[in-house]
């Protein structure tokens, strides 16, 4: 019985810290810190970009953790992909991911699909924690032109 309890505690611990491990593993392939665009967009253009990406409400970003990202994916599985309900809970995450997609692709070129996805997810999380919404939208605008 003690071995079973120990095994349960061990597995719970591994499952609890694995999102953090995967986050840092994904970031380990990023050699250069991402540079946000210095251009300041008009509020109208920011709102246009925000609406184009089906984000909800006014442009804003909520810092996300690896656990929050998992919750975002879980929300999208239970609701619908990019449902307003999920986008409202995690504003700016989708746009952050799209803003840095090409920068991540350049840095992890040739590393494989798993590394690409883990690095993209980790970088998206990092951007929500380190950039403001104006930098995210300006970078998105720059990368989409």
């Amino acid at each position: 019985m003690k071995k079973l309890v120990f095994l349960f505690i061990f597995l719970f611990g591994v499952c609890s810290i694995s999102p953090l491990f995967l986050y840092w593993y994904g970031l380990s392939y990023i050699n250069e810190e991402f540079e946000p665009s210095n251009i300041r967009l008009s509020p109208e253009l920011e709102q246009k970009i925000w609406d184009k990406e089906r984000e909800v409400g006014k442009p804003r970003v909520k810092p996300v953790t690896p656990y929050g990202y998992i919750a975002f994916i879980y929300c999208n599985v239970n609701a619908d992909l990019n449902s307003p309900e999920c986008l409202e809970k995690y504003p700016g995450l989708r746009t952050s991911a799209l803003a840095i997609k090409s920068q991540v692709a350049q840095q992890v070129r040739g590393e494989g699909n798993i590394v690409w996805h883990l690095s993209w997810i980790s970088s998206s999380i990092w951007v929500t924690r380190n950039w403001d919404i104006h930098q995210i939208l300006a970078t998105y605008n720059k990368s989409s032109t």
Side-chain angles (χ1 to χ4, degrees):
M1 183 66 171
K2 286 182 183 181
K3 288 182 181 182
L4 187 61
V5 170
F6 177 76
L7 179 63
F8 176 76
I9 292 171
F10 176 76
L11 290 176
F12 180 76
V14 168
C15 290
S16 296
I17 64 169
S18 62
L20 292 174
F21 172 76
L22 292 173
Y23 171 70
W24 289 109
Y25 180 76
L27 284 180
S28 74
Y29 282 89
I30 304 300
N31 298 323
E32 299 174 18
E33 192 169 298
F34 298 112
E35 290 294 325
S37 175
N38 295 329
I39 299 170
R40 182 69 175 193
L41 303 177
S42 69
E44 294 81 21
L45 182 54
E46 285 184 348
Q47 187 66 49
K48 184 178 177 181
I49 293 168
W50 190 256
D51 294 340
K52 176 185 171 197
E53 289 308 325
R54 294 171 275 170
E55 296 275 9
V56 179
K58 294 194 181 283
R60 64 200 187 287
V61 64
K62 176 183 175 183
V64 177
T65 66
Y67 303 102
Y69 192 89
I70 292 169
F72 176 71
I73 297 300
Y74 181 76
C75 181
N76 276 291
V77 168
N78 283 335
D80 286 325
L81 185 62
N82 298 320
S83 73
E85 171 190 334
C86 300
L87 294 171
E88 179 67 29
K89 289 180 184 177
Y90 304 95
L93 179 57
R94 175 180 162 74
T95 306
S96 298
L98 295 172
I100 60 160
K101 186 176 184 178
S102 62
Q103 292 182 48
V104 173
Q106 290 173 358
Q107 290 198 35
V108 298
R109 181 163 284 136
E111 293 293 339
N113 203 24
I114 292 175
V115 169
W116 149 243
H117 278 91
L118 283 176
S119 295
W120 187 26
I121 290 167
S122 298
S123 299
S124 302
I125 293 168
W126 185 88
V127 165
T128 66
R129 302 181 67 75
N130 293 281
W131 290 4
D132 64 34
I133 191 61
H134 306 293
Q135 293 171 315
I136 292 169
L137 292 170
T139 304
Y140 173 93
N141 188 54
K142 182 179 174 183
S143 69
S144 65
T145 55

